[in-house]
Amino acid sequence: QVQLVESGGGLVQAGGSLRLSCADSGRTFSGYAMGWFRQTPGKEREFVAAITWGGNVPYYGDSVKGRFTVSRDNAKNTMYLQMNSLKPEDTAVYYCAAARLLTTAIDQYDYWGQGTQVTVSS
């Protein structure tokens, strides 16, 4: 069973960078596409980025294109989200998730982590 744990969140000033990690402690990373989503209070969960099992096809939400980079290391059962040029509007709880196929649709993701808070100060 996939058990996802996010880490790397924190407080950063606008223009700064953070790198989030998502580790699969269940060690069944194999074959799953992986995604990042984020959510702020009172708003729906928003798609951020996703990557195929092989790691050769990343896909990004419009709000993060050119600033965020998603990658994965299957040998370490870990996915990453490098976030550069952060803006206050990037402040949210960030979640990683696993799906059978690359998708932006929240309901297609079978497994979710508990989330990690990212706060960007102006």
Side-chain angles (χ1 to χ4, degrees):
Q1 182 175 350
V2 178
Q3 299 176 350
L4 305 175
V5 179
E6 302 96 336
S7 62
L11 174 64
V12 64
Q13 289 187 333
S17 299
L18 280 176
R19 188 175 82 154
L20 304 184
S21 299
C22 172
D24 171 22
S25 61
R27 295 186 291 180
T28 55
F29 215 55
S30 178
Y32 282 91
M34 301 293 295
W36 288 99
F37 292 80
R38 64 187 183 187
Q39 189 170 24
T40 55
K43 293 187 178 181
E44 293 186 353
R45 198 163 292 189
E46 174 192 15
F47 171 76
V48 174
I51 191 165
T52 53
W53 154 244
N56 58 332
V57 181
Y59 189 77
Y60 299 96
D62 290 340
S63 61
V64 306
K65 282 180 181 177
R67 300 188 298 124
F68 290 12
T69 302
V70 61
S71 62
R72 66 190 293 169
D73 184 342
N74 290 337
K76 295 181 179 179
N77 292 328
T78 303
M79 175 180 64
Y80 304 97
L81 185 68
Q82 178 66 44
M83 306 186 293
N84 298 328
S85 303
L86 282 162
K87 305 175 182 179
E89 51 263 44
D90 294 318
T91 295
V93 177
Y94 283 71
Y95 299 89
C96 66
R100 290 292 182 181
L101 296 172
L102 185 70
T103 178
T104 64
I106 291 175
D107 60 357
Q108 296 300 305
Y109 283 82
D110 298 321
Y111 302 99
W112 292 84
Q114 82 290 348
T116 186
Q117 176 70 45
V118 171
T119 303
V120 184
S121 63
S122 58

